[in-house]
Amino acid sequence: LRTLRRELAVLERRLGELGAAVAEDALLAGVAVECNGEAIVEVGLAYVVPGATWSPDYDLRFASQGNRKTGVGKAEITMAAVVRQATGEDWDGVQLVLSTAKPRLGAEAPLPAPLYVSGYETQKGKVLVQATEQRESLSVGDAAPASGPEAAELNDQGQSFALTIPFPVTIHADGRPYWMPVDKRETSAEAKLITVPKLRSYAYQVAVLKNAASYPLLAGTLHTYRHGAYVGDSTLEYKAPGEPVEASLGVDEELKVTRAPIEEQNKAGGFIADQKLNRAYRITVTNQATSTQTIEVRENIPVTKVDDVKVEILKEGTTAGYKLDTYRGLVSWELKLMPGEKKSVDLWFKIALPSDWVIGG
């Protein structure tokens, strides 16, 4: 009961911080200052109030050379913040600093939940299971330094960082969202055609660029425009300075993509032989456009995390010319198709595991 009451108190406090209105209140602070003989002393008072939040928001405007579907172009990304505050006090012409720090984090010591251990008898040994793991590359690359009047000032504080808005802002204490630009960067980009038929049987136009800011881009909403026309919204994941960014420009309906299994067979092992899982798939792309198109086809294979399980691409069946990202298990081909042309790529791989393992879901 004490645990539930403690959790309820934490949730009620958080709910109060997110509330749309806070009653006006006044706090009288008395400070005793020892001047040590100085005639003039400057005193600063800092305090934390609930009811103020912000979230990242991005506009990406892409334009390719000659209005072509693919090829090099220019990208302009505007980093903005959506600020809400219901502190009971209007912010009129203030200097706003956006911080990723969480002042209340750690104010209450966490208590671990009970950990129970149980077991049961079984004659079966290890079980092979399949799971999806989210992996993000956090490479630090050739990001441009902050410069110019539009650039936000970055204060890197280790685990958190702060961005100072370069102009005074006014935000009323009404809980409504206020959108304000923080920074703007221009960089080179390239438009590509990409398909991942294992997930969706469509071809997508994608703008590929790098984070040109000197600070990370936090996860937020990305509004994409192409040649001034609105394309749609997507979610931008955390991107370190210089890390590649892929922004969808929409579905390309002139390319038809299909994916079909060729073989999905499990072969039992023997006394000394391992059991094998054979998998093979065929991906077919048809160019229904009136011009030649180049598309990147992506497929993935399992990534093993134990020494007893081996994953191998069967080169005798797999279409040549592929690239393999061993970290993510990503296999990709680049196909160039003439108008009306159809091409297929095959992927064959096998999974070998000890005969006493059980194949699970």
Side-chain angles (χ1 to χ4, degrees):
L1 184 59
R2 286 196 300 268
T3 301
L4 292 176
R5 286 174 177 170
R6 185 162 49 246
E7 293 176 354
L8 178 61
V10 173
L11 293 175
E12 287 177 345
R13 185 171 67 247
R14 292 178 180 174
L15 182 61
E17 295 174 3
L18 299 175
V22 176
E24 291 188 3
D25 198 1
L27 178 64
L28 178 61
V31 182
V33 181
E34 184 177 354
C35 299
N36 292 327
E38 297 292 337
I40 299 177
V41 177
E42 293 185 1
V43 179
L45 174 65
Y47 57 95
V48 178
V49 294
T53 61
W54 75 279
S55 59
D57 196 79
Y58 306 95
D59 284 351
L60 175 64
R61 302 181 183 276
F62 174 77
S64 57
Q65 294 181 356
N67 201 19
R68 294 182 300 175
K69 184 184 299 185
T70 59
V72 296
K74 291 290 184 181
E76 177 187 273
I77 183 168
T78 301
M79 285 71 77
V82 178
V83 181
R84 294 178 173 88
Q85 71 102 346
T87 63
E89 178 184 8
D90 291 341
W91 299 345
D92 188 11
V94 299
Q95 182 184 48
L96 187 64
V97 179
L98 305 174
S99 174
T100 60
K102 300 179 180 179
R104 305 191 72 93
L105 184 63
E108 181 173 337
L111 292 177
L115 182 63
Y116 302 101
V117 178
S118 62
Y120 59 92
E121 293 184 358
T122 177
Q123 295 181 349
K124 296 181 179 181
K126 298 179 180 178
V127 178
L128 178 70
V129 296
Q130 175 178 303
T132 301
E133 177 179 331
Q134 182 70 23
R135 293 182 172 185
E136 295 294 339
S137 174
L138 301 181
S139 58
V140 178
D142 49 353
S147 61
E150 294 181 329
E153 181 182 351
L154 170 65
N155 181 15
D156 193 349
Q157 300 172 346
Q159 291 184 344
S160 64
F161 63 89
L163 289 171
T164 301
I165 304 295
F167 50 84
V169 299
T170 297
I171 303 176
H172 298 289
D174 50 14
R176 295 189 295 111
Y178 287 80
W179 184 93
M180 57 193 65
V182 178
D183 201 356
K184 182 186 295 184
R185 296 298 173 110
E186 292 185 359
T187 183
S188 59
E190 182 180 3
K192 293 184 177 181
L193 290 171
I194 296 175
T195 181
V196 189
K198 184 178 182 178
L199 300 179
R200 292 181 181 177
S201 297
Y202 296 100
Y204 290 87
Q205 299 178 24
V206 177
V208 182
L209 61 147
K210 288 185 178 181
N211 175 15
S214 58
Y215 48 84
L217 301 180
L218 303 179
T221 302
L222 179 66
H223 314 281
T224 307
Y225 301 82
R226 181 166 188 170
H227 295 286
Y230 173 70
V231 175
D233 292 350
S234 59
T235 300
L236 177 67
E237 302 295 336
Y238 176 96
K239 297 297 179 182
E243 185 178 3
V245 178
E246 289 189 356
S248 175
L249 300 175
V251 175
D252 192 310
E253 299 181 352
E254 294 183 328
L255 290 167
K256 180 180 178 181
V257 182
T258 59
R259 178 181 183 270
I262 301 175
E263 180 181 0
E264 293 181 341
Q265 184 180 16
N266 298 342
K267 294 184 179 181
F271 180 70
I272 59 173
D274 292 340
Q275 55 180 325
K276 295 179 176 60
L277 283 63
N278 294 332
R279 300 290 186 265
Y281 302 95
R282 174 167 295 163
I283 302 169
T284 303
V285 182
T286 304
N287 182 14
Q288 300 175 335
T290 57
S291 59
T292 301
Q293 303 294 333
T294 301
I295 185 171
E296 181 180 339
V297 178
R298 295 177 178 177
E299 183 78 5
N300 71 326
I301 60 175
V303 177
T304 179
K305 303 182 74 173
V306 293
D307 293 335
D308 290 340
V309 179
K310 307 294 183 183
V311 180
E312 179 185 357
I313 294 180
L314 303 178
K315 295 183 179 181
E316 59 272 17
T318 300
T319 303
Y322 64 85
K323 296 180 180 179
L324 175 61
D325 183 343
T326 55
Y327 176 72
R328 295 181 295 176
L330 189 64
V331 186
S332 60
W333 293 264
E334 188 173 277
L335 302 181
K336 186 176 182 179
L337 297 95
M338 304 294 289
E341 187 178 7
K342 177 190 297 185
K343 286 186 178 181
S344 298
V345 292
D346 295 343
L347 174 62
W348 289 69
F349 65 91
K350 69 176 180 180
I351 305 173
L353 62 154
S355 58
D356 59 344
W357 280 48
V358 177
I359 301 173

